[in-house]
Amino acid sequence: MSILTLVFGILSGSLLSVLVGIVGSRRRIGFGWAFLISLLLTPVVGLIVALLTDPLPDGGKRWGCVGTVVAILGLLFLLVFLLLLLAGGALIAAV
């Protein structure tokens, strides 16, 4: 298994967990818990848990500071992935 496959798997799992967190942000579980559950277990389990909780009564969102941290980490992972992609494996061979 190549390193790019591993990086792609981690990035896609993280992206799906962020999407589950966005679903959870409109429910009582909130973004942080939905994201954490889907990251530790699987995004499918996190989605089921998020959908089983009650929606917020006013239709608002519960983000907290987790949304900002996840956005920064997502951008960081994206930059690393693009760097590895554009380098064409030259960085991996150097290590």
Side-chain angles (χ1 to χ4, degrees):
M1 177 173 19
S2 71
I3 189 79
L4 289 179
T5 305
L6 182 65
V7 169
F8 180 74
I10 291 172
L11 286 175
S12 62
S14 298
L15 177 67
L16 289 174
S17 296
V18 168
L19 292 175
V20 170
I22 290 171
V23 169
S25 70
R26 296 179 186 249
R27 300 188 166 268
R28 291 207 185 267
I29 192 170
F31 178 87
W33 285 111
F35 175 73
L36 188 64
I37 289 171
S38 64
L39 195 63
L40 293 177
L41 300 174
T42 63
V44 173
V45 173
L47 182 64
I48 291 171
V49 170
L51 291 176
L52 287 177
T53 60
D54 295 330
L56 289 175
D58 60 352
K61 293 182 182 180
R62 294 179 65 181
W63 289 92
C65 65
V66 178
T68 305
V69 172
V70 168
I72 291 170
L73 286 176
L75 288 174
L76 181 66
F77 282 132
L78 179 65
L79 289 174
V80 169
F81 177 70
L82 290 175
L83 180 67
L84 287 173
L85 183 67
L86 294 174
L91 292 174
I92 298 168
V95 175

